[in-house]
Amino acid sequence: MKPISIAALALLLAQGLAAQDTTHAAAPAAAPAAPAAPAAPAASVSVVEAVVARSVVDRVPQDTGTAFPVDVGQVVLWTKVSGATAATAIHHVWFHGDTQVGDVELAVGGSPWRTWSKKTVPADWTGAWHVEVRDAAGTVLKRIDFTVGQ
């Protein structure tokens, strides 16, 4: 009886895989349309909320602000976006003064979606900072300014 059960299970798994293979086989046929599809979601992505914080706990930013002490160590840009699809990416582009010091690509899995990136802040990097939230095409969706050590 066990060989029949194993054979039945194998048959069910094979049918499930065949269905998945059919789906994947259809994807290449739709591939020519795919380049146009990512452009549309990227254009419709919007930033609902963005804050600089010291940390994130349970997907919620903690100790938010626009001014941080010289010994902050690291800061986080927490972002909530809407209008995105599972194939969307955004970037957090970090600047100390006018010098770009980081670019973090973040996958967006749907709408609305919360995501964040961290930036280490050396003790001697005081002054004006900002972070730009950009879509996959590089369009600035939001800019957040903050200072360290002043």
Side-chain angles (χ1 to χ4, degrees):
M1 182 146 176
K2 285 186 181 180
I4 294 172
S5 297
I6 292 172
L9 181 59
L11 181 61
L12 288 173
L13 288 175
Q15 287 175 347
L17 293 175
Q20 289 176 4
D21 290 343
T22 302
T23 302
H24 291 296
S44 65
V45 174
S46 64
V47 177
V48 175
E49 186 179 357
V51 295
V52 178
R54 286 185 177 229
S55 63
V56 175
V57 176
D58 293 329
R59 296 182 298 254
V60 178
Q62 306 294 308
D63 300 321
T64 63
T66 57
F68 297 91
V70 69
D71 63 351
V72 68
Q74 78 173 10
V75 291
V76 177
L77 180 68
W78 178 93
T79 308
K80 182 177 181 180
V81 297
S82 68
T85 63
T88 304
I90 62 169
H91 288 254
H92 286 174
V93 184
W94 294 85
F95 292 86
H96 176 232
D98 292 328
T99 304
Q100 182 177 323
V101 294
D103 183 343
V104 181
E105 182 175 326
L106 301 162
V108 176
S111 180
W113 192 262
R114 296 169 289 185
T115 189
W116 57 92
S117 67
K118 297 178 183 179
K119 181 66 183 139
T120 299
V121 179
D124 59 339
W125 286 20
T126 60
W129 283 76
H130 71 275
V131 189
E132 295 176 351
V133 180
R134 297 181 183 176
D135 65 14
T139 303
V140 176
L141 304 174
K142 183 84 169 177
R143 175 183 163 141
I144 305 294
D145 294 288
F146 65 100
T147 59
V148 173
Q150 295 181 344

